[in-house]
Structure formats: C-alpha cells, structure tokens
Amino acid sequence: QLQLQESGPGLVKPSETLSLTCTVSGGSISSRSNYWGWIRQPPGKGLEWIGTIYYSGSAYYNPSLKSRLTMSVDTSKNYFSLKVNSVTAADTAVYYCARQTVFGVITLPNAFDIWGRGTEVTVSS
Amino acid sequence: QSALAQVRSVSGSPGQSVTISCTGTNSDVGTYNYVSWYQHHPGKAPRLIIYDVDKRPSGVPNRFSGSKSGNAASLTISGLQAEDEADYYCCSYAGSYTVIFGGGTKLTVL
C-alpha cells in the first residue's frame, strides 16, 4: 500500500528557506499515472495548493507563491521535495504531500487520493 | 487565484441530509468536470471522498454524493452520522496544470 511521509525542520527563521521532503513507499514515484503535490494549512485557515510535480521533473506552482517555490523529484530515491524561499510568519502551516491522480489524454493533474500525515512548520526567530 | 467559495459552516442532526456548496468561476468549476471533495478531521490527513464531480473512491459510503451545475459544485451527505463531523473542502482543476481549493466548510452534527 502506497504511503507518503513528510520530513523536514519544524522551525525555520524568517527570511530563510523552508525545505521539506516527501518520501514515497510502497509504490514508484515514476508512475505515469500520477503527479505529486504539496498542500498546506495555516493555523485556523483552509487548505492551500502549493504546487505539483511529475516524475519527469516538470513542476507547476500556485501563482501566488510561484516566485518563492522550487520543487524537485529524485526518482532513484523515490522522493520529491519542496523549497520555499524568504519565508515569513505567513508560511507557518501544516504541510502535506499527496499523490495526485490524472485525467485526460495528455495526463493532467486531478484529485489528491493519498496523503501524508502532514508536518508542522513554524516560522519564527 | 481566489479560493473557491464555500459557506463557512453547516449543521444537521443525525439521520438528516446536508448539502455543502462550492462556487467557482468559468476558469475552474464551470469549465472542468474535475471537482473533488475532501473530508478533514483536525489533526488527521484529509481524505478524498468525491472525485470527478460525482465519483466515490473505493471505501467511501454511498451516503456521500457530488454534483455540479454551471460554476457551482455540491456535496450532499445523507443519513448524517456523528463521525461525519469534520471540515469539508472542494477542489477543482483550474487549467495550466493548477488546482484550487475552496475555503472549507465546517460540518457540525447536532
């Protein structure tokens, strides 16, 4: 059974870079039938899509965050990663990684069907 | 990208039905039949309960159903149970390989 596990520091200083990794087990990250996404939930707020990556390395970002984001994938180690630059308190959130299904002949990202348990990140000096 | 609009809270008694709406635009819900819904109990991972507007993943009770009309999608939960109390989020494909979530609806089972 496929599982995802987020990992990374729980505390990041303002203006620094937040780095998270999502390790995929029980299945291959190289599946052509899936994308891989990051979603976050700030305290007291709703879910926000951060970005999505395909095993090929093609990444797509939330326009409101795009300038500060970098996503990457390592197919040999079966994980994908997220970096958020120049963090502020507004980036404090629970960060989830998730598998996305696809739709369409050209395989577009669709629903998030398997989620990690989430990792809490606090931005504070 | 503005969040899809959801009412902040709904409530119902056990056994009743509730409907949660999700309003988007012609750039997302109105154009694509790729709306999904998630159940989120605080402190746990969100759970996919509806995808492609009205399809249920394996293991999701048929008490959960989805629909769409124009720019609005809906999630209906029939035969409410205590364990249905949670936050519910809609999500839609929004073009250019992006997706957008709704603001979330808190369901209270009275």
Side-chain angles (χ1 to χ4, degrees):
Chain A
Q1 181 162 344
L2 189 122
Q3 293 183 318
L4 293 87
Q5 177 68 58
E6 305 88 351
S7 59
L11 181 64
V12 183
K13 290 183 169 55
S15 80
E16 294 190 345
T17 296
L18 181 167
S19 296
L20 297 174
T21 294
C22 180
T23 301
V24 179
S25 59
S28 174
I29 201 170
S30 299
S31 166
R32 294 185 178 186
S33 300
N34 297 110
Y35 284 80
W36 307 91
W38 289 97
I39 304 98
R40 69 182 183 181
Q41 183 177 33
K45 296 187 178 182
L47 299 175
E48 178 182 35
W49 173 69
I50 301 171
T52 286
I53 193 164
Y54 200 46
Y55 77 96
S56 62
S58 296
Y60 310 94
Y61 303 126
N62 183 323
S64 67
L65 301 169
K66 184 175 182 178
S67 63
R68 298 193 295 125
L69 299 180
T70 303
M71 291 180 65
S72 60
V73 61
D74 188 325
T75 55
S76 66
K77 296 181 180 178
N78 228 36
Y79 72 78
F80 60 106
S81 299
L82 170 71
K83 291 186 187 298
V84 184
N85 299 326
S86 305
V87 297
T88 69
D91 295 307
T92 294
V94 176
Y95 285 76
Y96 297 97
C97 61
R99 187 181 78 170
Q100 269 181 288
T101 60
V102 299
F103 73 90
V105 176
I106 59 173
T107 61
L108 298 170
N110 194 0
F112 299 96
D113 64 340
I114 300 176
W115 295 64
R117 299 185 68 173
T119 186
E120 190 169 349
V121 177
T122 300
V123 177
S124 175
S125 56
Chain B
Q1 244 195 7
S2 297
L4 304 176
Q6 292 185 241
V7 62
R8 296 200 70 168
S9 64
V10 297
S11 62
S13 300
Q16 289 186 332
S17 295
V18 295
T19 296
I20 298 171
S21 63
C22 168
T23 303
T25 68
N26 288 331
S27 296
D28 37 65
V29 176
T31 294
Y32 302 101
N33 290 322
Y34 298 105
V35 177
S36 50
W37 289 89
Y38 302 85
Q39 178 189 61
H40 190 201
H41 289 105
K44 299 184 70 176
R47 174 195 182 197
L48 175 67
I49 55 173
I50 294 288
Y51 67 99
D52 295 359
V53 175
D54 58 5
K55 297 181 175 61
R56 280 186 309 277
S58 174
V60 175
N62 59 11
R63 302 187 295 104
F64 293 89
S65 62
S67 63
K68 192 190 94 165
S69 178
N71 292 343
S74 296
L75 171 71
T76 298
I77 308 171
S78 58
L80 268 179
Q81 299 181 2
E83 58 262 36
D84 297 334
E85 183 162 298
D87 297 320
Y88 291 84
Y89 293 89
C90 60
C91 180
S92 173
Y93 182 72
S96 301
Y97 296 80
T98 68
V99 298
I100 184 169
F101 281 95
T105 297
K106 180 178 178 58
L107 169 62
T108 301
V109 180
L110 301 170

